[in-house]
C-alpha cells in the first residue's frame, strides 16, 4: 500500500473516517484547549442555526446586524469586513444574501461615489431581539450546570484568551 492508498475497510476503526488519522487520542484531545474551544463554538453555532432559521436568519448574519445597528450612518462594505474580520469576498456574498432577504439597504456614500453605505432595514431591526434571544438561549444551555461565579470566571478566562490571541495576531 503506498502513501496515498486507503486501508481496507475492515482495517478502519468503527466511527473513523477513512484517510484521516487523528493526531491525538480521544483522551488527550479533550485536554487540548484549542480543540475544546473549537468544538464548543461549533456546537453553539449549530444550535443557533437551528433556532435562527425560523426567523429566516443565518448565524453569520447576526453579528453583522448587531454591528450595523450601532452605526446610525451606515458602514461601507470594506469597513464592515474589517470590523467583522471577514475577507472582502465572503462579506460581499453575505451582504448580497442579506440584501436579497430584505435585511440591509445600500445607499450611495456621499463621501465616496465608488462606495455605498450599508444600513439595516426595519425588518432586520425587528428580528434582532429574537435573534439575540436565540443566541442567549444557547449560552444559557452551555453554562447550565455552572454556578454564577463559575460562569463569570469562565467568561473572564475566555476574554483573556481572546485578548491574548488578538495581541499575538498583531505580532504575526
Amino acid at each position: 500500500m503506498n502513501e496515498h492508498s486507503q486501508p481496507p475497510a475492515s482495517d478502519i476503526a468503527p466511527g473513523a473516517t477513512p484517510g484521516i488519522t487523528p493526531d491525538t487520542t480521544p483522551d488527550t484531545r479533550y485536554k487540548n484547549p484549542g480543540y475544546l474551544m473549537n468544538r464548543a463554538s461549533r456546537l453553539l453555532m449549530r444550535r443557533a442555526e437551528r433556532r435562527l432559521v425560523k426567523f429566516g436568519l443565518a448565524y453569520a448574519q447576526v453579528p453583522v446586524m448587531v454591528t450595523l445597528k450601532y452605526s446610525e450612518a451606515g458602514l461601507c462594505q470594506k469597513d464592515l469586513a474589517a470590523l467583522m474580520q471577514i475577507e472582502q469576498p465572503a462579506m460581499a456574498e453575505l451582504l448580497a444574501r442579506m440584501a436579497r432577504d430584505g435585511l440591509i439597504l445600500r445607499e450611495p456614500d456621499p463621501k465616496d461615489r465608488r462606495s455605498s453605505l450599508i444600513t439595516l432595514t426595519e425588518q432586520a431591526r425587528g428580528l434582532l431581539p429574537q435573534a439575540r434571544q436565540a443566541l442567549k438561549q444557547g449560552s444559557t444551555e452551555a453554562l447550565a450546570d455552572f454556578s454564577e461565579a463559575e460562569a463569570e470566571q469562565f467568561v473572564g478566562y475566555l476574554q483573556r484568551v481572546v485578548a491574548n490571541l488578538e495581541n499575538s495576531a498583531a505580532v504575526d
Side-chain angles (χ1 to χ4, degrees):
M1 183 163 34
N2 70 34
E3 66 183 274
H4 300 292
S5 63
Q6 298 291 323
S10 61
D11 292 350
I12 298 172
T17 304
I20 297 178
T21 306
D23 59 353
T24 59
T25 65
D27 293 338
T28 59
R29 179 178 59 185
Y30 288 105
K31 293 178 183 175
N32 180 312
Y35 172 81
L36 291 169
M37 286 184 283
N38 183 296
R39 180 81 174 131
S41 176
R42 288 177 180 275
L43 289 167
L44 281 168
M45 186 176 70
R46 285 188 191 121
R47 286 175 184 254
E49 287 285 357
R50 286 195 302 271
R51 289 189 175 106
L52 292 170
V53 73
K54 64 184 163 195
F55 307 119
L57 297 174
Y59 181 76
Q61 295 171 332
V62 178
V64 173
M65 291 169 61
V66 170
T67 301
L68 289 172
K69 177 185 178 189
Y70 295 105
S71 174
E72 294 299 319
L75 291 168
C76 69
Q77 179 178 310
K78 178 182 176 185
D79 291 343
L80 191 54
L83 281 169
M84 304 302 305
Q85 298 183 337
I86 299 173
E87 295 295 325
Q88 282 269 16
M91 180 57 75
E93 187 177 320
L94 179 60
L95 292 174
R97 286 193 313 268
M98 292 177 76
R100 177 201 68 202
D101 295 343
L103 299 172
I104 62 166
L105 295 172
R106 295 177 189 256
E107 297 177 7
D109 184 344
K111 297 176 187 169
D112 183 355
R113 295 175 130 170
R114 299 166 297 163
S115 184
S116 60
L117 293 176
I118 301 159
T119 58
L120 286 182
T121 63
E122 287 306 313
Q123 173 189 346
R125 288 182 185 281
L127 290 171
L128 204 47
Q130 296 162 313
R132 288 178 124 169
Q133 183 57 38
L135 297 179
K136 184 178 179 185
Q137 188 175 354
S139 294
T140 299
E141 290 170 2
L143 301 175
D145 64 348
F146 283 56
S147 70
E148 190 173 324
E150 289 172 325
E152 286 179 24
Q153 187 176 29
F154 179 68
V155 169
Y157 289 148
L158 288 174
Q159 289 169 337
R160 284 173 50 194
V161 167
V162 169
N164 289 341
L165 293 172
E166 287 177 345
N167 290 336
S168 69
V171 175
D172 291 342

